[in-house]
Amino acid sequence: QRSLSRDPSSEIMTRSFPKVPVKRGQQVTLQIEELTPKGDGLARVDGVEVVVRGTVPGDSVNAVVGRKRKGRVEARVVEVLQVRLPRREPPCSHFGTCGGCRWQNLSYSDQLQLKDEMVRRSLASRDIFPGEFRPALGSPSSLYYRNKMEFSFGRGAEGDLQIGLHVRERYNRVFDLEACYLQSELSNRVVDSVRRHAVASGLPVYDLRTHEGLLRFLVVREAKQGGGGLMVNLVVSQYPHEGIDNLVHAVTGEVPEITTFVVSLHTGKAQVASGEGGEFILTGGGHIVEECGGLQFQISPQSFFQTNTEQAGNLYLLIRELAGDMREMDVLDLYCGTGGIALHLARESRTVTGIEQTVKAVEDARLNAQRNSIENCTFIPGKAEDVLRESGKIEGKRFDLVVVDPPRAGIHKKVLWALGDLAPAQIIYVSCNAESLADDLAELMLAGYRVSVVQPVDLFPQTPHCEVVAALHRTDAPG
């Protein structure tokens, strides 16, 4: 069994790009070969990669060459010569402008096929060929499935207040949202109400250049199952503020379904929809309660919870199935959030220990354990790499199963090293980024693991994104 490399210099890779043989404005005929991680078509001309929006592998198009970005050339379709997959009329009027639903013009079955192909290609690029590759598990609902949406405030060309989502590849530009087909009609009503009353109040929008203004983000979270409420979180640069109080009063009066309204203070320059200056609960209890897989979860404004509740239940069932007989298992759940995976596994295992960086999420996880009368779960706040290094915090346990569900960037290198030292018989990796998953799986294989099962689980219909679940077993483990 080999150990993971601890030499940072061994992880640095350089890449040289060939000279671009085509010029901006030139028209070229392209055969689309694969997809980029963002879901755009990718062709090659004399070894140079050309990114073409709105295409999929197997399409043939005439396109006009545009700018060069990060060693690739971008091109715009002017004529479609052949399509591999039929296109349909997308339901959303913002399709093509919004950076989110890039695949609304494809049937849902075709979307799942493309996600399979993207995951397979990512794994193959690192010479990873799992013992079993299962087809993508489709979402029960392909529209109106999200329980959380984040919206940004902005200004139009005439200086008018806008609230909506970002223009594709333009993170400094917001388009005014008419309706989003990923969230419920109730959530759309909230956005419309906040927009109208914000305009009427004359409250200023936060300016990214001058760092002046007030309104920054609007976050809507809705319990999809069990009737657990609707939470609105308004992120502002200044509070207390009488104008904000008046806005909240007007919106809650117009949308009585709102069960809690929170104002978060964010004075920093980073464009993230969270508050670093405190949260102020103006109505309700400051959280919602979601039901998933027969369990109830308390969710606060900054707590992580899968955005597709119904499909999250299927995800947890898959993890439970891959884990096998857990009755005598001690389980470690890294990046555990509010305890979604941990609490589902706790009903079948001997013990579960969850580690999570966000303190409020840990508080919610503990409350969720109490709410569901689960007593064999322990939740520890802190960065996974720090907690694992301080062995006293996990009481020197040897874990039979480790579940990891890291951010898009993947598992921290120190956590990978710690996993090699812990040497659990089984690891279940839940990823939202097939590229970082492939990198981490390659490292874990060096540490003596084989990838036995991989299955994409689609929590994000209409987009190129999906979760991927990988089951790994130590090569010297029994069975």
Side-chain angles (χ1 to χ4, degrees), residues 180-211:
C180 177
Y181 282 78
L182 298 190
Q183 65 171 353
S184 70
E185 181 54 37
L186 175 57
S187 294
N188 282 320
R189 281 174 50 204
V190 171
V191 176
D192 179 66
S193 180
V194 171
R195 177 193 293 108
R196 286 186 288 100
H197 290 294
V199 169
S201 69
L203 296 175
V205 171
Y206 184 82
D207 190 300
L208 293 176
R209 294 169 297 179
T210 65
H211 302 292

Side-chain angles (χ1 to χ4, degrees), residues 91-95 98 101 104 144 149 151 163-165 175-185 187-189 191-192 195:
C92 183
S93 63
H94 302 299
F95 179 77
C98 178
C101 296
Q104 266 194 23
Y144 308 112
M149 290 289 292
F151 303 97
I163 180 172
L165 300 167
F175 65 86
D176 214 22
L177 184 77
E178 294 180 5
C180 177
Y181 282 78
L182 298 190
Q183 65 171 353
S184 70
E185 181 54 37
S187 294
N188 282 320
R189 281 174 50 204
V191 176
D192 179 66
R195 177 193 293 108

Side-chain angles (χ1 to χ4, degrees), residues 227-250:
L230 177 68
M231 176 167 58
V232 179
N233 180 20
L234 184 65
V235 182
V236 299
S237 64
Q238 180 187 344
Y239 195 80
H241 193 287
E242 183 179 359
I244 294 296
D245 292 337
N246 294 336
L247 173 63
V248 172
H249 179 75

